[in-house]
Amino acid sequence: QKEVEQDPGPLSVPEGAIVSLNCTYSNSAFQYFMWYRQYSRKGPELLMYTYSSGNKEDGRFTAQVDKSSKYISLFIRDSQPSDSATYLCAMSAVGYGLTGGGNKLTFGTGTQLKVEL
Amino acid sequence: DTEVTQTPKHLVMGMTNKKSLKCEQHMGHRAMYWYKQKAKKPPELMFVYSYEKLSINESVPSRFSPECPNSSLLNLHLHALQPEDSALYLCASSQVPQGSGRGQETQYFGPGTRLLVL
């Protein structure tokens, strides 16, 4: 079993739809959760960061973390064609960086999203 | 400014060539990373530098040689690569995490260098 599972899609939605992207994980030590957006042939762009459980909202994007279920979500409201990209969840464990070793992210496989006109 | 820059954008090299990839950030981050990404796969961590010292090497073959000359720069020296090394090479940087939950764990990625080994 992979540490982080993410439905690879592709997911196709009409413009204006609400999109729900999800990841499940198995490592209960994960405390830091991120969502990245990656356009084709570009580097990942940080969208959202959440520490521990809870919700965080930024414009049309809402990130949710449910640590009891080991489940995180990214919601995109009023989706636009420009949202068409691959969305990667990433997470890391508390304390990993305390030895000064940087931070190791564990990524999901990415969900390919297409928002159609 | 959350920009990480990488050069070159594209690189084609033969299996006997020596080349270098460069990465630069001016966010004051003291942790820098090299990742390799194949098509339709997530990034795979290769190396981590913390305070300009190599802290993690994810069992990467010696034909990849990282270097961190100062706190803003990160290089990846390539020699005798194989065609299967063709990929997008991504650089990232972050603060050195202290476990405070203040976002120091977030990594900022550059646009990548697309490498083709013939």
Side-chain angles (χ1 to χ4, degrees):
Chain A
Q1 183 190 6
K2 291 182 182 176
E3 269 193 302
V4 179
E5 300 273 3
Q6 184 176 7
D7 186 338
L11 178 62
S12 185
V13 302
E15 184 180 8
I18 296 174
V19 176
S20 171
L21 304 168
N22 311 295
C23 288
T24 58
Y25 62 94
S26 57
N27 187 346
S28 57
F30 287 145
Q31 292 273 11
Y32 307 100
F33 304 93
M34 284 141 270
W35 285 95
Y36 287 88
R37 176 175 63 194
Q38 187 172 22
Y39 292 112
S40 181
R41 306 174 79 83
K42 302 288 186 186
E45 171 194 8
L46 180 67
L47 277 179
M48 300 288 281
Y49 162 80
T50 311
Y51 169 57
S52 194
S53 282
N55 294 356
K56 188 171 184 180
E57 189 173 322
D58 184 1
R60 296 185 296 111
F61 298 92
T62 300
Q64 288 185 351
V65 175
D66 181 349
K67 289 191 66 188
S68 62
S69 302
K70 296 192 180 67
Y71 187 88
I72 70 170
S73 300
L74 178 71
F75 297 95
I76 307 174
R77 289 183 297 281
D78 187 25
S79 55
Q80 303 293 310
S82 58
D83 295 326
S84 299
T86 295
Y87 290 79
L88 292 153
C89 63
M91 47 198 80
S92 66
V94 66
Y96 186 82
L98 294 179
T99 57
N103 183 44
K104 183 169 181 177
L105 295 181
T106 301
F107 286 90
T109 49
T111 299
Q112 187 181 346
L113 172 67
K114 185 169 184 182
V115 180
E116 310 212 57
L117 288 168
Chain B
D1 181 13
T2 56
E3 190 178 26
V4 176
T5 58
Q6 289 186 244
T7 55
K9 290 184 180 178
H10 302 277
L11 180 62
V12 180
M13 59 187 291
M15 289 190 285
T16 58
N17 292 158
K18 284 185 182 181
K19 296 287 184 183
S20 297
L21 309 185
K22 297 185 184 302
C23 173
E24 189 167 4
Q25 57 87 16
H26 295 287
M27 294 179 276
H29 290 168
R30 301 302 294 275
M32 296 185 77
Y33 310 78
W34 280 115
Y35 287 86
K36 173 183 176 180
Q37 187 178 27
K38 300 283 256 184
K40 299 192 185 300
K41 299 287 187 184
E44 293 175 43
L45 184 65
M46 299 174 72
F47 302 103
V48 181
Y49 272 82
S50 178
Y51 298 106
E52 295 85 69
K53 288 185 169 47
L54 183 65
S55 59
I56 297 174
N57 176 339
E58 292 284 281
S59 302
V60 178
S62 60
R63 57 185 184 268
F64 296 92
S65 175
E67 179 196 17
C68 190
N70 62 52
S71 60
S72 300
L73 294 174
L74 187 66
N75 298 322
L76 185 64
H77 304 296
L78 314 173
H79 174 53
L81 294 194
Q82 304 297 309
E84 60 264 28
D85 297 322
S86 298
L88 181 67
Y89 287 84
L90 294 162
C91 173
S93 71
S94 76
Q95 298 178 45
V96 176
Q98 302 298 320
S100 66
R102 293 179 186 166
Q104 294 161 328
E105 301 72 20
T106 49
Q107 294 181 22
Y108 295 89
F109 285 83
T113 293
R114 188 157 297 279
L115 174 67
L116 177 62
V117 181
L118 299 175

